Amino acid sequence: MTTGIRPFTIDVPQAEVDDLRERLAGTRWPRELPGPEWSRGAPVDHLRELAAYWEKDYDWRRHEARLNALPQFTTEIDGLEVHFAHVRSAEPGALPLVLNHGWPNTFAEFTELIGPLTDPRAHGGDPAQAFHVVLPSVPGFGFSAAPGPGWSVEATARLYAELMRRLGYGRYGVQGGDLGAYIAPEIARAAPESVVGVYITAGLGFPTEADIPDLTPDELEQYNEIRRWSTGGLDHHALLRRGPQTFAYGWNDSPAALLGWLVHKFEEFSMAAEPLDEVIDRDLLLTNASLYWFTQSAGTSSWPMYETAEFGWPQGQDRVPTGVYAGPPAIRRLAERHNRIEHWPEGNTGRHHFVAMESPGPYADDMRAFFGTVR
């Protein structure tokens, strides 16, 4: 490593932990609005119960220690302080891999995934398919500094390519889902000579209105399914294009407001019939919320939306091979317009948009299957 990389340890002052609990205890709860559950947003009883757990039972210090078990660092690139975890595998020949977290998430998204990737021997996998994991916090998220006006996924990708160069990695893979599905292909564009493959969690091959005339009946049904999922809830893209500063007052001052915002999106991102906390571990969800709270980054993490004119699905790239975790309702032939698809299984498990939080084992297995063909 170069001298520009400094060790980092999470160390939230006890006064801030106490303040969080006091604010949760003093929440001024609103009346429940009429309508079916979740039709007006996060239900009061549901959020009140989760906030009480956050206040009284959730152990931040335990989870802080768990995060600190991951070697973490910061480095300055182009004037921006970047936080990342860097977990090296003990296996010879391990492939370096950049994991790109999504929104509204943090590097905690991959807590359960790192073990299966870095130590497959201990998780029933092939030790020849191990990874050195590099897990950056997106600028403006968590412990990475907030970028200035005009920041983009392309700028983030160039920053990550420089980070990998600084770590001494000249050949590596990249992964991404949600926001990461936009960043990961851009890393391949920024450093095509170094990236061996891009692995995307869904997001590619989603049809748009312009594709409708050429869709088959089955594909049209898939298009309608995508529209039902993507337009039936809270349009966070539109909200964060218009007023992130306005919403940030609530997120920064009230942990209940922050929790309601995050839980609403995680609920909408679930495709399961079961309650959210049966799909994603409650403590993992609250660790994510705690990182936003303690770093005061709910507002600064909104830049992917407020710096864009309108929402568009990620297109990917054709510089290096691409693997995709989830198949339908995305359409492979549409993804192949912009990507060299070499891995597209259609039977993968997963009940949540953030599948690494819900099914880390199967997700790691599929990632190894793809990178096993390109490493």
Side-chain angles (χ1 to χ4, degrees):
M1 293 186 184
T2 70
T3 56
I5 295 176
R6 299 168 296 279
F8 178 85
T9 300
I10 303 172
D11 186 16
V12 175
Q14 185 59 41
E16 292 189 21
V17 178
D18 295 340
D19 177 69
L20 168 61
R21 290 173 175 155
E22 290 170 5
R23 288 171 185 259
L24 287 165
T27 300
R28 187 183 183 194
W29 293 101
R31 298 184 183 90
E32 185 72 66
L33 300 180
E37 194 174 55
W38 291 99
S39 65
R40 302 288 188 264
V44 175
D45 288 347
H46 175 84
L47 202 66
R48 190 195 293 266
E49 190 273 333
L50 186 58
Y53 179 83
W54 196 10
E55 175 201 347
K56 299 173 183 176
D57 300 310
Y58 172 80
D59 185 351
W60 163 252
R61 291 303 181 201
R62 182 169 71 88
H63 292 284
E64 181 183 62
R66 194 163 180 231
L67 293 174
N68 281 331
L70 306 175
Q72 295 174 60
F73 306 87
T74 61
T75 189
E76 184 178 306
I77 302 177
D78 295 334
L80 200 65
E81 195 76 6
V82 180
H83 164 265
F84 63 99
H86 182 199
V87 186
R88 289 185 58 84
S89 173
E91 300 292 347
L95 177 70
L97 176 67
V98 184
L99 298 179
N100 292 278
H101 70 76
W103 176 97
N105 226 322
T106 63
F107 80 111
E109 178 179 346
F110 299 115
T111 304
E112 302 298 325
L113 184 65
I114 293 174
L117 292 179
T118 59
D119 189 10
R121 188 188 301 271
H123 294 83
D126 182 353
Q129 295 182 327
F131 298 91
H132 302 307
V133 170
V134 179
L135 175 47
S137 292
V138 176
F141 291 66
F143 299 104
S144 284
W151 192 258
S152 64
V153 294
E154 293 84 1
T156 302
R158 292 191 296 270
L159 185 150
Y160 289 177
E162 169 58 21
L163 173 62
M164 295 301 281
R165 187 201 65 78
R166 193 169 293 188
L167 291 173
Y169 292 137
R171 184 175 183 273
Y172 53 89
V174 294
Q175 171 276 349
D178 191 81
L179 174 60
Y182 297 83
I183 297 173
E186 294 300 330
I187 300 176
R189 286 197 177 96
E193 71 288 348
S194 296
V195 176
V196 301
V198 175
Y199 182 82
I200 299 296
T201 310
L204 298 181
F206 282 5
T208 66
E209 290 187 13
D211 298 311
I212 291 178
D214 297 323
L215 296 180
T216 68
D218 286 345
E219 291 173 343
L220 184 61
E221 176 54 32
Q222 290 174 262
Y223 169 75
N224 290 329
E225 182 178 343
I226 291 168
R227 282 187 53 81
R228 285 193 293 271
W229 180 79
S230 63
T231 64
L234 178 67
D235 189 348
H236 58 277
H237 289 272
L239 290 173
L240 296 180
R241 279 196 297 270
R242 299 294 187 269
Q245 184 67 65
T246 299
F247 303 125
Y249 295 112
W251 299 328
N252 223 54
D253 189 61
S254 167
L258 174 64
L259 187 62
W261 173 248
L262 296 177
V263 167
H264 190 139
K265 293 314 304 179
F266 270 75
E267 174 70 25
E268 288 189 339
F269 286 161
S270 178
M271 282 72 78
E274 298 86 355
L276 178 62
D277 59 6
E278 293 182 16
V279 179
I280 291 181
D281 179 75
R282 173 179 285 200
D283 275 24
L284 184 54
L285 181 67
L286 290 174
T287 296
N288 187 60
S290 297
L291 286 170
Y292 274 101
W293 177 260
F294 291 131
T295 61
Q296 301 185 46
S297 57
T300 58
S301 69
S302 301
W303 67 260
M305 274 66 76
Y306 66 72
E307 293 290 3
T308 58
E310 60 183 11
F311 171 75
W313 298 111
Q315 289 189 338
Q317 53 75 46
D318 62 2
R319 304 288 184 90
V320 304
T322 293
V324 177
Y325 179 78
I331 299 171
R332 178 169 181 165
R333 71 173 181 83
L334 299 184
E336 287 176 337
R337 293 182 299 191
H338 306 287
N339 300 270
R340 290 160 49 192
I341 302 293
E342 295 193 8
H343 181 82
W344 186 283
E346 298 190 356
N348 283 328
T349 61
R351 299 172 294 164
H352 199 276
H353 180 63
F354 293 125
V355 68
M357 300 175 82
E358 187 251 321
S359 299
Y363 187 61
D365 290 343
D366 193 71
M367 200 181 306
R368 282 194 292 265
F370 166 65
F371 282 108
T373 67
V374 300
R375 62 189 301 149

